[in-house]
């Protein structure tokens, strides 16, 4: 028994001694599967080095593996990458294990020059022992080939290729590599120094919206893009096993803090973003794959960057040039920007002297979402105009709920410029891309001169010589009567345009210019009384009869009210509203005599003056039927002026002693009016083909005078006016009982015949009685 035990011990010692003298090269040489491996080890002169190993592990590709290898030439470095400085069996491998090879690249993984790493993955049991291990993805086809008790060979089916540098490792991600090239990080990540790269599985710009992405990819976003990419990089190699439990702060290349957390389930997060894959090896570091890209605090967005992202770079450049950059960079005040496209901004067409004002006009105060915009609203711009008395110039906005092009369900126009898309919003600042730049409200008369609906008013301004006064006034509200409003004045308008009415015209025009700004939104709030350039007060506000309309009038009770039509026509020195009636200040009196002068009814004026009736027009309400001078040309005026009796009769026939009538006929019936001539001498006004005709009552010829113009006296206590006619009315020659002359002759003849008949009959009866008595006839009692 003792002999047997001794023999076994001797045999074991002999075997161990024999095995101890074997090398890796010896074992490989004995196996024909590794002929190609032996050749490469010999070619790269590694045989002596391998033989010197006292302990180690060789991941040995078989002949088939080399035949399938399609890479570059097998190098000495590549062969060293298959060697570990320690002996390891299959039982020692576990999932995620990182092994240090004998291939050393100085400085790449740190100053102590560790070997390039090999990563173990396993199928089945992830821990040591059972499970199928893979070496950098290569399968072990024959494990634990013993060289000696400290050295093993693991036969694998692939040739192991050392990892590339980080810069080259991400080349397959075209977008990321393009970004790295743009900021020069591709070269840095290829340098022989260690890095840890936290790489998002989706795009690095995944968390950004389209505008932010466009900005980051533009030339203006290079610095922010560099900050974002540097936020992914730590200047050291940190493998997942080196992250301690809990939260650890690492300093990224951007200077920002990366907080890596490891919870009890060994789940790793970076700034609360989950890491879904760890330890992707690189020659100079390691990559950890995240589910998304966290955004560092030093990468932020503001109005300026959004405008860059929207390609409104010209607007940004101009705002910088003119000292308006605070609208782009201020993160406290909120603004709304109207941004035209680069190609729509024609710098040469904007004088340098107004460029700053023009730019400010594209900036609104406050956050103005599409839902806040209402049709007809006036938005306050940041252009504070001295021509408005220091008030901000307004931008009109027009909103349509149904239109072919919609913004947030609406069609929106700022002045004439359409909003092209929904507004971009950054920190409650709104940016509307618009179809064309806004134009600053221009000179008041230049703005109105193209409006044919107020051409009469514009003409009167130039005739009256108050144009310069209106243009030079600051902060005004002008109420502009329409052409129809002037037309309704009739002959009064003619007088105002006459040299004799120039002073009155000036007063009337100044009366339509109020000192102070009143927009529609102000007028609907209540009654306002403003002093005008005519030094008279104008009252503006809602009508008091329950109708939803705005009216303008003199403040005196009973003053006629003009209805406000189109509102909020913006001009450089104020705002313009259209009205349907011309307003007159209380101190302006336009008499009937003034109207006659204005229409140049010179013949009628002479007739009235010769008849001693001209002064009466100023004290008594008369309607003057005024024939034109052309009408008087058809009669012998000189003879009339010499005949005082006929002159007076004709003059009085043309005076109707009543006040002004809003309607000269009643329904479809002719209207009869007395004249100053007598109670019998009346005129009849009737309608004819849409016009009025005046005839003398009781005239045998019914051809009258057509009314060719009307004008009511303005102001004062006399409520008169003028009806201009195209023919002279001739009074009827009257006989007895006020009847026309021929009717009087006829009546006298008839009466004479009747009287003669009566007298003849009476004489015959008396004659018969006398004759009978003479002949002795007596009556029988």
């Amino acid at each position: 028994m003792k002999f047997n035990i001794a023999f076994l011990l001797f045999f074991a010692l002999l075997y161990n001694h024999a095995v101890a003298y074997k090398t890796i090269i010896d074992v490989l040489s004995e196996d024909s599967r590794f002929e190609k491996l032996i050749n490469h080890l010999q070619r790269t002169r590694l045989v002596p080095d391998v033989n010197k190993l006292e302990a180690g592990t060789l991941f040995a590709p078989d002949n088939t593996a080399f035949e399938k290898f399609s890479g570059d030439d097998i190098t000495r470095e590549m062969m060293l990458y298959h060697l570990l400085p320690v002996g390891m069996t299959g039982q020692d491998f576990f999932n995620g294990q990182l092994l240090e090879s004998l291939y050393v690249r100085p400085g790449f993984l740190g100053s102590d020059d560790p070997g390039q790493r090999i990563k173990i993955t396993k199928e089945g049991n992830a821990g040591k022992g059972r499970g199928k291990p893979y070496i950098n993805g290569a399968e072990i086809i024959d494990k634990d080939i013993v060289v000696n008790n400290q050295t093993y060979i693991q036969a694998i089916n692939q040739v192991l290729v050392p990892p590339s540098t980080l810069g080259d490792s991400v080349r397959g991600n075209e977008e990321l590599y393009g970004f790295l090239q743009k900021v020069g990080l591709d070269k840095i990540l290829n340098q022989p120094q260690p890095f840890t790269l936290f790489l998002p599985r989706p795009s690095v710009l995944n968390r950004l919206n389209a505008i932010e992405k466009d900005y980051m990819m533009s030339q203006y976003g290079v610095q922010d893009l560099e900050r974002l990419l540097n936020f992914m990089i730590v200047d050291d190699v940190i493998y997942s096993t080196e992250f301690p439990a809990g939260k650890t702060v690492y300093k990224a290349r951007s200077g920002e803090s990366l907080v890596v957390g490891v919870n009890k389930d060994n789940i790793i997060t970076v700034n609360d973003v989950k890491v879904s894959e760890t330890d992707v090896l690189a020659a100079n570091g390691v990559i950890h794959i995240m589910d998304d890209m966290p955004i560092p605090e030093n990468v932020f967005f503001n109005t300026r960057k959004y405008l860059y992202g929207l390609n409104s770079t010209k607007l940004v450049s101009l705002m910088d040039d003119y000292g308006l950059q605070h609208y782009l960079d201020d993160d406290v005040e909120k603004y709304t920007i109207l941004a035209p496209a680069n190609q729509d901004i024609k710098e040469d067409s904007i004088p340098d002297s107004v460029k700053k004002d023009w730019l400010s006009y594209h900036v609104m105060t406050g956050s103005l979402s599409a839902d806040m915009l209402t049709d007809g609203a006036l938005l306050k711009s940041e252009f504070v105009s001295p021509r408005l008395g220091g008030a901000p110039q307004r931008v009109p906005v027009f909103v349509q709920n149904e239109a072919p092009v919609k913004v947030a369900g609406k069609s929106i126009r700022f002045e004439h410029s359409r909003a092209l898309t929904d507004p971009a919003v950054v920190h409650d600042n709104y940016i509307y891309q618009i179809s064309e730049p806004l134009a600053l409200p221009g000179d008041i008369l230049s703005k109105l001169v193209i409006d044919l609906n107020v051409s009469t008013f514009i003409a009167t301004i130039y005739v009256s010589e108050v144009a310069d006064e209106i243009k030079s006034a600051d902060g005004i509200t002008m109420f502009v009567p329409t052409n129809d409003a002037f037309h309704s004045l009739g002959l009064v308008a003619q007088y105002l345009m006459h040299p004799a009415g120039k002073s009155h015209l000036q007063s009337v025009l100044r009366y339509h210019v109020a000192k102070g700004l009143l927009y529609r939104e102000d007028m609907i709030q209540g009654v306002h009384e403003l002093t005008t350039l005519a030094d008279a007060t104008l009252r503006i506000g809602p009508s008091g009869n329950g109708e939803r309309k705005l009216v303008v009038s003199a403040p005196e009770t009973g003053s006629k009210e003009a209805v406000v039509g189109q509102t909020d026509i913006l001009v450089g020195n104020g705002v313009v509203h259209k009205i349907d009636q011309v307003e007159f200040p209380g101190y302006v009196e336009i008499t009937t005599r003034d109207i006659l002068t204005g229409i140049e009814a010179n013949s009628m004026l002479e007739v009235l003056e010769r008849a001693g009736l001209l002064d009466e027009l100023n004290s008594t309400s008369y309607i003057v039927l005024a024939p034109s001078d052309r009408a008087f040309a058809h009669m012998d005026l000189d003879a009339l002026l010499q005949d005082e009796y006929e002159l007076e009769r004709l003059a009085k026939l043309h005076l109707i002693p009543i006040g002004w009538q809003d309607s000269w006929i009643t329904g479809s019936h002719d209207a009869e009016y007395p004249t100053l001539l007598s109670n019998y001498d009346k005129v009849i006004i009737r309608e004819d083909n849409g016009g009025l005709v005046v005839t003398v009552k009781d005239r045998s010829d019914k051809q009258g005078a057509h009314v060719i113009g009307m004008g009511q006296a303005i102001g004062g206590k006399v409520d008169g006016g003028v009806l201009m006619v195209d023919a002279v009315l001739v009074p009827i020659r009257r006989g007895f009982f006020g009847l026309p002359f021929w009717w009087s002759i006829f009546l006298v003849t008839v009466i004479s015949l009747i009287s003669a008949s009566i007298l003849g009959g009476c004489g015959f009866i008396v004659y018969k009685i006398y004759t009978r008595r003479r002949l002795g006839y007596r009556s029988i009692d």
Side-chain angles (χ1 to χ4, degrees):
M1 185 68 179
K2 290 182 179 178
F3 175 78
N4 291 336
I5 293 174
F7 177 79
L8 290 172
L9 289 172
F10 174 78
F11 182 79
L13 289 172
L14 184 64
Y15 175 79
N16 285 337
H17 179 75
V19 171
Y21 282 95
K22 276 196 172 185
T23 65
I24 291 175
I25 300 300
D26 293 334
V27 175
L28 292 176
S29 299
E30 294 171 357
D31 193 331
S32 62
R33 293 180 298 171
F34 303 113
E35 290 179 356
K36 292 185 179 295
L37 177 58
I38 289 290
N39 291 334
H40 286 298
L41 290 172
Q42 292 173 339
R43 185 177 57 81
T44 57
R45 300 181 180 181
L46 278 176
V47 172
D49 296 303
V50 173
N51 282 333
K52 290 178 184 178
L53 289 176
E54 295 181 1
T57 301
L58 172 64
F59 295 109
D62 63 3
N63 294 334
T64 304
F66 281 105
E67 290 172 358
K68 293 190 298 184
F69 180 69
S70 58
D72 296 331
D73 292 339
I74 302 298
T75 64
R76 177 185 179 89
E77 290 77 14
M78 188 180 296
M79 288 293 94
L80 286 172
Y81 187 61
H82 289 75
L83 287 166
L84 303 181
V86 295
M88 297 191 72
T89 66
Q91 297 295 317
D92 297 324
F93 298 137
F94 58 87
N95 189 56
Q97 185 178 17
L98 298 179
L99 306 176
E100 185 177 343
S101 74
L102 288 178
Y103 173 34
V104 175
R105 301 187 71 175
F108 274 63
L109 291 177
S111 58
D112 54 348
D113 292 336
Q116 290 293 303
R117 295 300 199 271
I118 296 172
K119 184 174 182 179
I120 306 298
T121 56
K122 289 187 73 176
E123 285 183 2
N125 183 18
K128 290 184 179 181
R130 294 181 180 179
K132 189 175 183 179
Y134 291 86
I135 315 303
N136 276 12
E139 182 182 350
I140 297 177
I141 57 177
D142 191 359
K143 67 179 181 178
D144 301 340
I145 301 173
V146 178
V147 176
N148 56 51
N149 58 1
Q150 295 183 59
T151 307
Y152 301 91
I153 296 174
Q154 307 289 346
I156 57 177
N157 67 347
Q158 293 180 23
V159 177
L160 301 183
V161 178
S164 304
T165 57
L166 284 168
D168 290 337
S169 296
V170 298
R171 276 180 178 271
N173 187 332
E174 292 184 6
E175 180 192 64
L176 176 61
Y177 191 70
F179 290 158
L180 293 172
Q181 284 183 308
K182 191 170 188 177
V183 301
L185 279 175
D186 60 319
K187 297 178 181 178
I188 291 175
L189 291 178
N190 282 328
Q191 291 179 355
Q193 65 184 84
F195 299 102
T196 296
L197 179 61
F198 293 94
L199 185 66
R201 191 173 299 280
S203 167
V204 293
L205 306 180
N206 184 60
R207 285 195 172 186
L208 308 182
N209 62 38
I211 298 171
E212 293 165 347
K213 289 177 182 177
D214 287 341
Y215 159 70
M216 294 290 275
M217 292 187 290
S218 73
Q219 60 176 319
Y220 305 97
V222 171
Q223 288 186 344
D224 278 326
L225 181 61
E226 185 175 7
R227 294 188 188 104
L228 180 65
L229 296 174
N230 276 315
F231 187 57
M232 305 187 307
I233 306 170
V234 174
D235 287 333
D236 196 5
V237 57
I238 310 168
Y239 299 106
S240 62
T241 55
E242 298 173 1
F243 293 134
K247 292 189 175 182
T248 308
V249 178
Y250 298 92
K251 185 178 181 181
R253 280 182 59 85
S254 65
E256 297 290 300
S257 295
L258 279 172
V259 181
V260 177
V262 181
N263 67 10
K264 61 182 181 179
D265 298 321
N266 209 33
I267 294 175
I268 302 173
T269 58
V270 179
N271 284 27
D272 297 324
V273 176
K274 183 181 177 182
V275 174
S276 56
E277 184 178 350
T278 59
D279 299 327
V280 179
L281 300 178
N284 58 342
V286 64
I287 300 172
H288 303 297
I289 309 295
M290 304 177 292
D291 285 345
D292 206 346
M293 179 66 201
I295 305 298
E297 291 183 358
N298 64 352
V299 175
F300 61 91
F301 296 94
N302 56 17
T303 302
R304 172 188 295 275
K305 294 177 182 179
Y306 263 53
L307 286 170
Y308 282 141
L310 292 168
N311 199 31
S312 293
T313 56
K314 188 176 287 188
L315 181 66
V316 175
S317 176
L318 285 171
M319 294 184 84
D320 286 340
D321 291 344
Y322 286 88
L324 301 176
Q325 56 268 23
H326 58 281
Y327 294 126
L328 309 178
D329 303 323
D330 194 334
D331 57 356
V332 177
E333 297 296 329
K334 305 303 177 186
Y335 301 102
T336 297
I337 303 238
L338 306 181
N342 288 344
Q343 65 269 19
D344 294 325
I345 298 177
K346 311 298 183 186
E347 292 184 59
D348 295 340
S349 65
I350 308 168
D352 290 340
S353 59
V354 300
K355 271 184 183 172
K356 184 174 183 178
D357 298 338
W358 177 81
L359 290 165
S360 300
Y361 192 54
H362 286 77
V363 183
M364 312 297 121
T365 307
S367 305
L368 300 175
S369 66
D371 292 337
M372 296 174 63
L373 302 178
T374 57
D375 188 44
L378 294 178
L379 309 178
K380 292 181 180 179
S381 75
E382 285 294 301
F383 170 38
V384 178
S385 172
R387 296 303 317 274
L388 298 179
Q393 185 57 271
R394 304 295 188 96
V395 176
V397 60
F398 305 99
V399 179
Q400 238 180 324
N401 287 326
E402 294 185 6
V405 179
K406 295 187 177 181
V407 177
K410 302 176 179 179
S411 170
I412 298 175
R413 282 191 299 113
F414 300 95
E415 198 182 66
H416 299 296
S417 185
R418 291 182 296 105
L420 299 176
T421 61
D422 290 338
V425 186
V426 52
H427 301 304
D428 291 329
N429 294 294
Y430 284 75
I431 301 172
Y432 290 86
Q433 291 179 278
I434 55 177
S435 60
E436 58 183 286
L438 303 184
L440 282 171
D443 171 81
I444 188 167
L445 298 182
S446 299
K447 181 71 174 284
L448 295 177
V449 75
I450 61 175
D451 189 344
L452 299 180
N453 194 33
V454 294
S455 57
T456 304
F457 182 77
I458 298 302
T460 59
I461 285 179
Y462 284 106
V463 167
S464 65
E465 299 178 357
V466 299
D468 291 339
E469 182 179 352
I470 293 174
K471 287 195 288 187
S472 64
D474 294 335
I476 61 172
T477 301
M478 187 159 73
F479 297 92
V480 177
T482 62
N483 292 346
D484 289 341
F486 274 96
H487 182 73
S488 66
L489 289 179
L491 302 179
V492 174
Q494 237 177 296
Y495 163 72
L496 292 173
M497 298 291 284
H498 193 275
K502 185 175 182 178
S503 62
H504 280 154
L505 177 61
Q506 291 173 335
S507 297
V508 169
L509 295 177
R510 293 186 180 114
Y511 190 54
H512 288 78
V513 183
K515 300 176 182 178
L517 294 172
L518 271 184
Y519 298 100
R520 185 180 187 279
E521 62 187 28
D522 303 315
M523 295 188 289
I524 62 177
Q525 298 300 319
V527 176
H528 302 264
E529 290 192 356
L530 297 181
T531 303
T532 65
L533 296 184
D535 291 327
T537 301
L538 199 60
R539 177 177 292 169
I540 310 105
S543 62
N545 55 9
E547 297 183 20
R548 297 182 62 183
K549 61 183 180 181
L550 297 170
V551 294
V552 178
S553 68
E556 291 80 17
T557 303
S559 298
K560 288 186 177 180
E561 295 178 338
V563 176
V564 178
Q566 183 181 351
T567 59
D568 296 335
I569 302 170
L570 302 177
V571 292
N573 61 333
V575 61
V576 173
H577 311 291
K578 293 182 183 180
I579 55 177
D580 68 349
Q581 182 176 294
V582 180
E583 292 295 319
F584 292 84
Y587 61 79
V588 169
E589 294 185 16
I590 299 176
T591 65
T592 304
R593 182 174 182 172
D594 291 332
I595 297 173
L596 292 171
T597 301
I599 63 175
E600 296 187 345
N602 300 320
S603 299
M604 188 62 188
L605 283 168
E606 187 174 4
V607 166
L608 292 173
E609 186 176 13
R610 291 286 189 94
L613 298 173
L614 196 56
D615 292 337
E616 279 194 48
L617 300 181
N618 297 329
S619 58
T620 307
S621 295
Y622 285 112
I623 303 300
V624 178
L625 302 174
S628 63
D629 283 359
R630 178 177 293 183
F632 274 105
H634 294 289
M635 63 181 303
D636 190 350
L637 183 59
D638 292 334
L640 177 66
L641 294 175
Q642 299 300 321
D643 189 338
E644 293 183 4
Y645 174 73
E646 290 299 333
L647 178 66
E648 181 180 0
R649 294 187 73 240
L650 184 138
K652 289 183 176 181
L653 182 65
H654 288 78
L655 299 180
I656 303 176
I658 60 172
W660 186 261
Q661 306 293 304
D662 290 330
S663 178
W664 293 99
I665 59 175
T666 305
S668 60
H669 302 286
D670 299 343
E672 188 176 287
Y673 296 95
T675 66
L676 189 62
L677 181 56
S678 71
N679 292 332
Y680 301 107
D681 292 284
K682 299 180 179 181
V683 292
I684 296 173
I685 300 179
R686 58 184 174 84
E687 188 175 8
D688 181 56
N689 293 327
L692 297 180
V693 175
V694 182
T695 58
V696 177
K697 185 181 180 183
D698 296 332
R699 281 198 68 89
S700 58
D701 57 349
K702 297 300 181 183
Q703 293 182 355
H706 292 85
V707 177
I708 56 177
M710 302 182 189
Q712 180 183 5
I714 306 295
K717 299 179 181 179
V718 178
D719 181 25
V722 174
L723 298 183
M724 189 175 187
V725 292
D726 64 355
V728 179
L729 301 178
V730 179
I732 297 175
R733 299 175 61 85
R734 298 193 177 275
F736 299 104
F737 310 112
L739 293 174
F741 181 74
W742 293 107
W743 278 101
S744 297
I745 294 176
F746 175 75
L747 183 59
V748 170
T749 302
V750 171
I751 292 174
S752 299
L753 291 174
I754 294 172
S755 298
S757 299
I758 293 172
L759 289 174
C762 291
F764 178 75
I765 293 171
V766 172
Y767 171 73
K768 292 295 286 183
I769 293 174
Y770 171 74
T771 303
R772 285 180 179 238
R773 286 184 175 179
R774 183 177 173 189
L775 295 174
Y777 288 96
R778 296 177 179 272
S779 61
I780 300 176
D781 295 331

